[in-house]
């Protein structure tokens, strides 16, 4: 077992020197690197970073997107004992300035010179003064002209990775064991990184994560994903490497010598087909997008084929539900006696036997659907947001196993997950190994089975604290090591945990009813027309919702209704003002949020505010494609105010 995270790529290189560690595109060509090459690049950069003056305890602002050099830099900074402060190259200059300044970084790593030029607008003299060196990954052709607009004092501080790797090779020729010696100085308790949260309600907070935090996730998550290093496997990734969910997964990949294929949102579907991954990590929005395309394709089939697919999806859902029940995976929000448990067990056993032939036929029938994600997907983890149950059931029934997972940046990130063997639909899962969880009621007592409360966690993955923010740390982390997640959960009879919402998102209606908006929003997104939804209603009589409408489907609907595109207002932040379109969307919502679908009358949506889906990452969406609720409400403040006013008149 590696002593620290820093050891991961070097041990992989020793065991599997010729296995491909990374595959990625550079312009139109595809590049690959083996674990031997990966380890060699880390050693070269480590030597040059140390020569540059970066040493133990230094904080380094690291604003680079997914690429081979990202991983190399991450490990090189660890080897010299520096603390990385990462974010993507698309981070706004204002946020870069805040993170860089607040984190007390003294070095700056950027992807290209364009970023450096952009920072001229936000970085002040004090920021540049404390910046000892600027490291730029991409060296542009015609460097002199590319740097012409950069002040000479910054040009003198700027060094390119191409030169750093060359310098590293020269240094290693004289001191080949340098990196190995430096690795011995890295300790489990060392802070590896400071990751700043998204800051949807003010300035982001810097989460201090240690080697021990990440090692806990590696040790706990590897067996849950059933990854065997002796078996060569491939994964395709598109989430940002700096995001702790992706970063922890990449550490698992290096630990088990998996091949990482870097993709992007635009190429992800094509890369799934081409690379045929064995496992991936993803977010619910990815599966929502695939689901909508799949439903669209099925809707164009004959009625007989549509009926056949629906029937076998249902058969396979029933088979898998019974299979997991017999393995101890089920949701039951009240305690039962032994007799009733025995009867249920026997019923599921009989159902499993009865449905088995249908399960085998479904495996053949759904092969084309599995081929859409490469055809050899062994497991997909969905995290960084709630996985709607309908997606859970459909994809697992198709033979694309999605394992739900839950965590947070402050826990590096894993807390709960399901397993391939016990993959209960609708459940969030069970605690990671060496992890304690408690669901506490308002008075601090432990909530009984089925009763909602706030989830608390304690374990080796819990952060050291927020950087330079003891008040915020004390607000969520007590002296006994218990972390207040702020998320609402319930516990099933069998010990499984279900996350049901976020405490701060709970809507309290004028009648006193508490509403968790997430399930309602997830259900609304089953509509082909709705990409995102934000439920409103605090202190109101009824619920309303902002719905971001899929523009392509909207135009098709307009054509069906014989409405000219010019008659639909979809510009800027304006709502979609067309009575027949509105009524069609409202009928969709009413059909989804209804008593028949399991919703209570006070959860029904009375009015909607349809808007164009121009939601983008960094504004309305987080890096993992979750909607920033308050940002969206603030953006449409005027329209929301009018919507609420109109609702009161009704």
């Amino acid at each position: 077992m590696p002593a620290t995270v820093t050891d991961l790529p070097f041990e992989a290189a020793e065991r599997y020197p010729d296995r491909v560690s990374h595959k990625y595109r550079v312009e139109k060509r595809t590049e690959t690197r083996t674990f031997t090459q990966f380890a060699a690049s880390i050693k070269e950069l480590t030597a040059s970073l140390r020569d540059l003056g970066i040493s133990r305890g230094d904080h380094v602002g690291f604003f680079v997107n997914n690429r081979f050099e990202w991983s190399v830099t991450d490990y090189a900074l660890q080897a010299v004992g520096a603390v990385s402060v990462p974010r993507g190259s698309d981070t706004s200059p204002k946020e870069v300035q805040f993170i860089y300044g607040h984190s007390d970084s003294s070095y700056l790593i950027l992807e290209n010179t364009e970023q450096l030029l952009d920072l001229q607008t936000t970085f002040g003299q004090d920021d540049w003064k404390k910046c000892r060196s600027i490291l730029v990954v991409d060296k542009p052709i015609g460097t002199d002209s590319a740097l012409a607009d950069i002040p000479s004092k910054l040009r003198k501080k700027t060094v390119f990775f191409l030169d750093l790797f060359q310098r590293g090779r020269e240094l290693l020729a004289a001191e080949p064991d340098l990196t190995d010696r430096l690795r011995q100085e890295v300790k489990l308790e060392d802070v590896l990184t400071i990751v700043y949260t998204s800051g949807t309600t003010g300035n982001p907070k810097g989460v201090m994560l240690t080697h021990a935090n990440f090692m806990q996730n590696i040790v706990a998550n590897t067996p849950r994903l059933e990854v065997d290093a002796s078996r060569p496997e491939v994964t395709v990734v598109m989430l940002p490497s700096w995001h702790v969910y992706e970063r922890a997964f990449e550490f698992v990949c290096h630990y088990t010598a998996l091949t990482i294929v870097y993709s992007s949102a635009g190429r992800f579907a094509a890369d799934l087909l081409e690379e045929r991954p064995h496992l991936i990590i993803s977010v619910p929005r990815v599966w929502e997008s695939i689901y909508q395309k799949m439903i669209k394709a099925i809707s164009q089939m004959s009625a007989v084929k549509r009926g056949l697919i629906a029937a076998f999806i249902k058969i396979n859902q029933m088979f898998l539900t019974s299979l997991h029940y017999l393995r101890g995976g089920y949701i039951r929000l009240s305690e039962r006696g032994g007799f009733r448990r025995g009867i249920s067990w026997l019923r599921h056993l009989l159902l499993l036997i009865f449905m088995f032939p249908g399960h085998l036929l479904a495996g053949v029938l759904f092969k084309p659907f599995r081929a859409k994600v490469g055809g050899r997907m062994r497991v997909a983890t969905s995290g960084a947001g709630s996985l709607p149950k309908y997606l859970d059931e459909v994809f697992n029934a198709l033979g694309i196993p999605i394992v739900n997972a839950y965590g947070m940046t402050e826990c590096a990130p894993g807390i709960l997950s399901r397993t391939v063997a016990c993959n209960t639909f609708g459940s969030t899962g069970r605690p990671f190994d060496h992890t304690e969880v408690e669901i506490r009621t308002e008075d601090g007592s432990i909530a009984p089975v089925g009763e909602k409360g706030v989830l608390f966690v304690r374990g080796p993955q819990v952060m050291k604290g927020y950087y330079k923010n003891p008040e915020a740390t004390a607000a969520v982390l007590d002296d006994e090591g218990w972390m207040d997640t702020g998320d609402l959960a319930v516990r099933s009879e069998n010990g499984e945990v279900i996350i049901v919402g976020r405490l701060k998102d709970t809507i309290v209606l004028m009648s006193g009813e508490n509403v968790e908006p997430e399930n309602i929003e997830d259900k609304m997104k089953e509509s082909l027309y709705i990409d995102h939804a934000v439920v409103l209603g605090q202190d109101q009589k009824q619920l309303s919702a902002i719905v971001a409408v899929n523009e392509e489907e909207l135009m098709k609907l307009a054509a069906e209704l014989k409405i000219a595109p010019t008659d639909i207002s979809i510009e800027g932040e304006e709502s979609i003002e067309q009575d027949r379109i509105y009524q069609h969307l409202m009928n969709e919502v009413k059909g989804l949020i209804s008593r028949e679908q399991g919703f209570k009358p006070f959860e029904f949506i009375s009015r909607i505010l349809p808007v164009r889906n121009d939601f983008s990452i960094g504004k309305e969406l987080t890096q993992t494609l979750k909607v920033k609720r308050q940002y969206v409400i603030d953006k449409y403040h005027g329209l929301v105010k009018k919507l609420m006013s109109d609702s009161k008149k009704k």
Side-chain angles (χ1 to χ4, degrees), residues 200-202 534 536 546 573 628-641:
T200 56
T201 55
V534 175
L536 313 166
I546 300 170
E573 295 180 3
K628 295 183 181 180
R629 182 182 304 277
Q630 195 56 50
Y631 184 100
V632 172
I633 293 172
D634 292 343
K635 175 180 177 179
Y636 298 106
H637 174 73
L639 294 171
V640 168
K641 188 175 181 181

Side-chain angles (χ1 to χ4, degrees), residues 43-259:
K43 288 182 177 182
E44 291 167 3
L45 191 58
T46 298
S48 60
L49 293 184
R50 183 171 176 268
D51 183 61
L52 199 62
I54 301 178
S55 59
R56 189 172 182 79
D58 284 337
H59 291 187
V60 181
F62 182 21
F63 301 92
V64 177
N65 280 348
N66 291 24
R67 54 191 300 162
F68 175 66
E69 292 87 352
W70 199 101
S71 284
V72 172
T73 306
D74 188 15
Y75 284 108
L77 289 171
Q78 293 175 38
V80 297
V83 178
S84 62
V85 186
R87 241 343 172 32
S89 60
D90 54 352
T91 305
S92 70
K94 184 178 179 181
E95 194 163 12
V96 170
Q97 193 276 335
F98 172 80
I99 292 172
Y100 183 82
H102 185 271
S103 66
D104 296 317
S105 292
S106 52
Y107 292 87
L108 183 62
I109 302 177
L110 303 174
E111 189 149 5
N112 50 52
T113 53
E114 286 79 6
Q115 278 176 275
L116 183 53
L117 290 170
D118 288 343
L119 292 180
Q120 302 298 305
T121 60
T122 56
F123 269 45
Q125 286 195 4
D126 288 344
D127 295 312
W128 292 125
K129 187 175 180 180
K130 75 172 187 175
C131 182
R132 296 170 62 185
S133 291
I134 303 165
L135 289 63
V136 181
V137 178
D138 288 331
K139 188 171 186 177
I141 299 172
T143 303
D144 291 340
S145 60
L147 296 178
D149 294 330
I150 298 173
S152 59
K153 63 181 180 180
L154 298 185
R155 260 180 279 167
K156 293 175 183 176
K157 293 182 177 184
T158 303
V159 58
F160 294 97
F161 267 50
L162 193 65
D163 303 317
L164 287 171
F165 283 119
Q166 176 59 41
R167 176 59 176 158
R169 285 189 286 273
E170 295 169 0
L171 292 165
L172 288 174
E175 202 175 1
D177 64 343
L178 172 64
T179 305
D180 295 330
R181 286 193 287 104
L182 290 174
R183 281 166 52 198
Q184 302 304 313
E185 299 175 16
V186 181
K187 307 300 179 188
L188 269 175
E189 61 271 18
D190 289 348
V191 174
L192 185 154
T193 189
I194 301 174
V195 181
Y196 278 77
T197 57
S198 58
T200 56
T201 55
N203 284 328
K205 298 186 287 289
V207 180
M208 295 185 287
L209 297 173
T210 66
H211 283 264
N213 296 149
F214 282 109
M215 288 302 294
Q216 154 64 9
N217 270 268
I218 293 166
V219 170
N221 209 19
T222 299
R224 292 196 173 212
L225 293 172
E226 298 184 0
V227 187
D228 182 353
S230 66
R231 180 180 59 204
E233 289 191 320
V234 174
T235 184
V236 175
V237 301
M238 59 168 279
L239 297 177
S241 290
W242 66 263
H243 194 283
V244 73
Y245 177 36
E246 172 67 28
R247 197 173 184 183
F249 176 67
E250 291 191 22
F251 288 155
V252 169
C253 293
H254 302 150
Y255 173 53
T256 55
L258 262 73
T259 297

